[in-house]
Amino acid sequence: MRDPRNALRPFIVKETQAAREKLAAHHFDLTAVRDVITAAAARGEGATRLTLGQTAVELRATEAAAKLLAWCEQNGLNVEWEEVVIPRENGLKLRTCELVITWLDEKR
């Protein structure tokens, strides 16, 4: 007999990853990212951060993230994941990572 305590976990793990893939497809859309980079460059900036807003989920291990990283590499863009903490109204502090894309190496 299957342990009933383990019946829910595989389902919710699958649902979680499916939701993350959907969020990543939205946040890491190549056309939208190209537009964000172009707009930042037009303002004279040498880097941009792809903010996730109040989305405090791990998106690095998604298909859309892998596709974006490959696209950045093909275009000579530097990428770095930076950890951010998002405070919630209930007192929780959720950690996630946002992607910073850089095209100029500016030493200060």
Side-chain angles (χ1 to χ4, degrees), residues 66-106:
K67 193 181 287 188
L68 176 56
L69 293 178
W71 179 83
C72 286
E73 185 177 336
Q74 291 170 354
N75 285 283
L77 305 172
N78 299 314
V79 294
E80 181 181 347
W81 292 101
E82 288 191 6
E83 187 174 283
V84 294
V85 177
I86 300 174
R88 296 287 193 193
E89 290 179 11
N90 63 4
L92 287 177
K93 293 179 181 173
L94 304 175
R95 297 183 189 285
T96 190
C97 287
E98 294 179 337
L99 189 63
V100 176
I101 302 173
T102 307
W103 51 94
L104 293 180
D105 184 20
E106 299 178 311

Side-chain angles (χ1 to χ4, degrees), residues 14-30 32-33 50-66 68 81 86 88 96-97:
K14 183 179 176 183
E15 287 294 305
T16 300
Q17 188 60 30
R20 288 177 177 187
E21 292 290 345
K22 186 175 178 179
L23 286 166
H26 170 74
H27 285 287
F28 301 149
D29 175 72
L30 295 180
V33 170
L50 302 181
T51 61
L52 301 178
Q54 287 296 305
T55 304
V57 297
E58 177 58 62
L59 299 180
R60 290 180 286 183
T62 62
E63 199 173 301
L68 176 56
W81 292 101
I86 300 174
R88 296 287 193 193
T96 190
C97 287

